[in-house]
Amino acid sequence: MNPESDFSYSFSLGTTETREREPELIALDKLSEFILPGDQVLARNPRNGGRMVLPTEVSTALSYCTNFRTLDEHVDVLLEDGPDQPGRAAAIRQVIKSVQEAGLFLSAKEVCDRLAPVREYTGPIGKPIVAIITWERPEALARLLDSLLTNCDPSGIERCIVVDDTRNSTTADQNRIITGQASQRTDISIEYFGATEALSFMNQLVQALPKHEKAIRFLLDRDAWTDYWTAGIARNFCQLLSVGKPLIVCDDDSVCDVYEAPLAERGVEFSESTREAVFYHDRQSWPERAAENERDPFARHMQVLGLTIPQALASLGNGKPKQESFKPASAGFADRLNGQSRVLTTECASIGDPGTANNQWVATLPPQSGKRLSEDRQLLESALKVRNCYLGRMRPAFVPGTNISQITGSDNRDFLPPYFPIMRGQDQVFGDTCQFLFPDTVALDLP
């Protein structure tokens, strides 16, 4: 807020109320505003019809109240950098109460009530198709397949497809051999899908849908993008090869194993905040792995993928979410959630190299992560050079949209959008597009 501004909070003021013992969390709802004469605004809540005429100054100040906080916390936010006047806090508090009573705030308790978990959980939506995207890294592919066969329950997988985006023919031959060797070690169908298979698949699509040839080639033709990194094309093949099924996609530099969050917290959260990071000097400093019978990451994803939020809460063993679960969220996110909102995508934390293109992400970490890092200069230097960390949530987090992790799930029973075929950032484009097409769905970021 502008420290030079002296907002008037003098309308509709009555006796200041005493603080509640257990204040609820509230956030300014998504409102429609209509400009009125006399520097006033008619604010209307289309969700419940609540309305109120506000001075423009007050309407502007309330725009700082869109995240869930207690009433007193909202007062503290509006007091920041403002003029220190006697009675100002009490006046602000009463204004917020008046606006709340007019129906312009959303209560976190209301959202919690409508997301209460179902009594009966019917189980996962089906066996997933597991797709591995590989690119010029046969050693990594062999390591991933070995961990898959060691740690994952084959009865929980429908089939596995290695989608090879390799350009070097010698490396591609190695990847084909590695895939074949892995297939001989298990009853799971592990198939290789390389350049030859991709070209044949694309040509069949063009033949079947000639009117859409230009779009098909834009999304799938690697020869049209010879100067670019084409991980998006590989992901498009993963989706097309799993239509109507749950899909789990693994990057080849990941390993199928499960670690618990180092600073694990109870419950769940509904969050629009960024992930946290815990840094380590070396591999030996990592936290201990989970119990031996919990090393299958696919089972973690399938525990919640495709379920409604109430079903997912039941599957995770949580009761009705608590209001504090919404502290990292805004009313705009919470208001679009309902009992039928589904987990459209799942993602997971990572431990090891964060997989980022550079170190700029370190500067965008949330305050608690930055504080941990700044307290140890040697750890800061190690973080920038060795890049060894846990990056993720400290408890399961329902978030508005996905941003690809090393192992990512999607409910491909829906008509999902394609990925942009080239360069980085296609994961964010996919997540934003899903959020636009399916506004009441969520991604579940697993710790």
Side-chain angles (χ1 to χ4, degrees), residues 31-294:
L31 307 178
S32 300
E33 293 188 342
F34 306 91
I35 305 300
L36 299 177
D39 205 21
Q40 292 184 315
V41 173
L42 171 62
R44 181 181 182 276
N45 189 339
R47 181 176 58 84
N48 58 19
R51 64 187 67 190
M52 191 173 193
V53 175
L54 302 170
T56 302
E57 293 173 312
V58 173
S59 176
T60 301
L62 289 174
S63 66
Y64 290 85
C65 299
T66 55
N67 276 50
F68 284 100
R69 302 183 183 95
T70 65
L71 176 58
D72 294 318
E73 287 170 340
H74 281 300
V75 172
D76 291 340
V77 168
L78 295 179
L79 281 172
E80 289 179 2
D81 299 325
D84 186 14
Q85 297 177 345
R88 184 165 179 265
I92 293 175
R93 191 173 191 276
Q94 186 57 38
V95 168
I96 295 176
K97 285 286 291 182
S98 299
V99 176
Q100 181 186 10
E101 291 168 359
L104 303 189
F105 273 80
L106 175 64
S107 167
K109 181 180 183 302
E110 177 184 333
V111 185
C112 292
D113 289 343
R114 69 171 180 252
L115 296 179
V118 294
R119 293 184 179 180
E120 295 182 2
Y121 165 58
T122 58
I125 59 176
K127 294 182 181 181
I129 291 178
V130 174
I132 296 173
I133 293 179
T134 189
W135 185 76
E136 311 286 358
R137 293 187 285 214
E139 295 85 0
L141 174 62
R143 180 184 62 186
L144 172 55
L145 285 169
D146 183 65
S147 70
L148 187 155
L149 297 176
T150 301
N151 295 337
C152 300
D153 179 6
S155 67
I157 301 172
E158 180 161 315
R159 63 187 177 122
C160 177
I161 308 169
V162 175
V163 179
D164 192 355
D165 197 40
T166 295
R167 303 297 178 90
N168 183 290
S169 59
T170 301
T171 305
D173 289 341
Q174 288 180 270
N175 288 339
R176 188 183 292 273
I177 292 171
I178 290 169
T179 303
Q181 291 172 341
S183 181
Q184 294 174 6
R185 295 170 53 191
T186 180
D187 293 333
I188 305 172
S189 173
I190 303 181
E191 308 163 17
Y192 179 82
F193 189 88
T196 301
E197 291 80 3
L199 180 61
S200 174
F201 187 94
M202 182 185 68
N203 288 338
Q204 290 180 56
L205 278 180
V206 169
Q207 185 176 1
L209 303 166
K211 292 183 180 180
H212 300 286
E213 178 175 0
K214 185 176 180 180
I216 291 170
R217 293 192 181 279
F218 177 85
L219 295 171
L220 299 178
D221 192 353
R222 205 169 61 182
D223 290 337
W225 305 104
T226 54
D227 296 331
Y228 297 92
W229 184 59
T230 50
I233 286 180
R235 290 188 179 274
N236 286 335
F237 278 119
C238 293
Q239 285 185 271
L240 289 168
L241 293 167
S242 60
V243 169
K245 302 284 185 178
L247 168 68
I248 297 178
V249 179
C250 306
D251 291 346
D252 63 1
D253 58 350
S254 62
V255 174
C256 289
D257 208 349
V258 174
Y259 288 75
E260 301 296 349
L263 302 174
E265 299 175 0
R266 286 180 166 272
V268 299
E269 67 182 52
F270 294 79
S271 179
E272 293 169 276
S273 63
T274 56
R275 289 174 160 190
E276 291 190 57
V278 178
F279 294 88
Y280 303 101
H281 288 290
D282 50 44
R283 167 69 179 81
Q284 288 68 39
S285 304
W286 287 8
E288 294 184 3
R289 185 166 43 231
E292 288 294 310
N293 62 350
E294 294 183 299

